[in-house]
Amino acid sequence: MNVLAVGCHPDDLEINCGGTLAKCARRGDKVTMVALANGSAGHKVYSKEEIARIRLKEATESAAVIGAEYICLGLDDMFVRRDYDEGVRKVSDVIRRVKPDFIITHGEHEYMVDHSITSTIVFDATMAATVSHYPSDYPEYDRFTPIYYMENTFMVNSFPEEFVDITDDIDTKIEMYSHHKSQAEWLKVHDNFDMVETIRCFARTRGLQCDTGYVEGFTLCKQIHHLPTKRYLP
Ligand SMILES: [Zn+2]
């Protein structure tokens, strides 16, 4: 199976679907992890350019834990909406190149616009990737890709319908996240919480609901052409 996961910022995928991606890798899937934005707003000390460089390195190391490719599409933090068309073009190119069996991304009603817009960009890109005359250096992709939406950040107003048991992958998820040192530091200052504790806490909450150890939840995109007749999640 070929999995394409598209987050907004360099650490969003680890937080919301890192266990599932690790499980996909364990079952032999090819995993591609993409961030639309470069993480340039996420630090108090480093300059925009410095923090973007650091976060590229950290995210690449995190993806390497599960043998995944990491691609940063380089939009600026807080300006993903302004760069909407560029985002659709870039994600469409990735879809044309990677040819995913399914995609994981943010839901449409997230806590910040960059996240919500990423969801819409990815949805539009799945259409753009199939259109012959849409601008791209790659030939069009011949299918509409099923999309699974990750849970909203911190599970706020989040009602998942698909569940992945990540009990055997929670340590890998945390190992992946541990490479995002600069962001973990900044979140302690800016938001006053420990992300590793938070990751465990939310995955364990869904785990309790599912009568197992640790779980990540998802919602299927229910639009024409996108409805799968089988489950792609592990
Ligand atoms: Zn984010």
Side-chain angles (χ1 to χ4, degrees), residues 7-26:
C8 178
H9 304 110
D11 60 337
D12 287 327
L13 295 175
E14 285 83 344
I15 295 166
N16 295 299
C17 70
T20 299
L21 296 180
K23 192 167 186 172
C24 285
R26 275 202 299 118

Side-chain angles (χ1 to χ4, degrees), residues 67-80:
E69 180 187 8
Y70 173 71
I71 301 168
C72 177
L73 297 180
L75 305 188
D76 277 335
D77 280 18
M78 310 301 294
F79 290 99
V80 176

Side-chain angles (χ1 to χ4, degrees), residues 49-210:
E49 293 73 21
E50 281 172 329
I51 191 61
R53 251 195 320 275
I54 289 167
R55 297 195 68 184
L56 174 65
K57 180 173 178 289
E58 290 173 344
T60 304
E61 288 170 357
S62 166
V65 170
I66 58 167
E69 180 187 8
Y70 173 71
I71 301 168
C72 177
L73 297 180
L75 305 188
D76 277 335
D77 280 18
M78 310 301 294
F79 290 99
V80 176
R81 178 166 50 187
R82 177 195 66 187
D83 299 331
Y84 190 94
D85 290 337
E86 184 184 349
V88 173
R89 270 200 304 279
K90 287 183 166 180
V91 176
S92 164
D93 275 351
V94 173
I95 293 170
R96 287 165 183 248
R97 183 168 74 75
V98 169
K99 299 180 170 50
D101 291 294
F102 69 101
I103 293 174
I104 297 174
T105 191
H106 295 284
E108 294 162 286
H109 304 290
E110 264 275 28
Y111 81 107
M112 68 179 298
V113 172
D114 277 2
H115 281 207
S116 306
I117 289 288
T118 295
S119 182
T120 314
I121 284 174
V122 170
F123 181 78
D124 280 357
T126 59
M127 168 65 86
T130 68
V131 175
S132 306
H133 297 313
Y134 186 79
S136 177
D137 292 333
Y138 301 93
E140 71 270 26
Y141 188 35
D142 59 2
R143 69 188 288 258
F144 289 89
T145 318
I147 302 170
Y148 291 95
Y149 296 124
M150 303 182 287
E151 291 214 48
N152 287 344
T153 304
F154 286 19
M155 294 160 49
V156 176
N157 286 321
S158 186
F159 306 98
E161 300 158 344
E162 305 264 348
F163 299 92
V164 177
D165 188 337
I166 60 156
T167 307
D168 293 336
D169 303 279
I170 184 71
D171 291 341
T172 308
K173 177 180 169 87
I174 287 169
E175 186 188 341
M176 291 169 79
Y177 187 78
S178 70
H179 287 278
H180 290 279
K181 285 192 191 75
S182 65
Q183 186 68 0
E185 278 166 20
W186 183 69
L187 288 172
K188 274 183 190 157
V189 176
H190 183 265
D191 298 85
N192 196 28
F193 64 80
D194 181 318
M195 184 51 93
V196 170
E197 181 190 31
T198 304
I199 284 172
R200 270 196 195 280
C201 179
F202 288 118
R204 180 67 187 123
T205 299
R206 290 295 182 220
L208 285 165
Q209 293 168 344
C210 297

Side-chain angles (χ1 to χ4, degrees), residues 214-231:
Y214 293 91
V215 165
E216 287 170 345
F218 299 87
T219 309
L220 188 62
C221 169
K222 298 179 202 69
Q223 283 293 350
I224 181 169
H225 301 312
H226 289 275
L227 294 171
T229 53
K230 67 174 186 180
R231 174 171 155 127

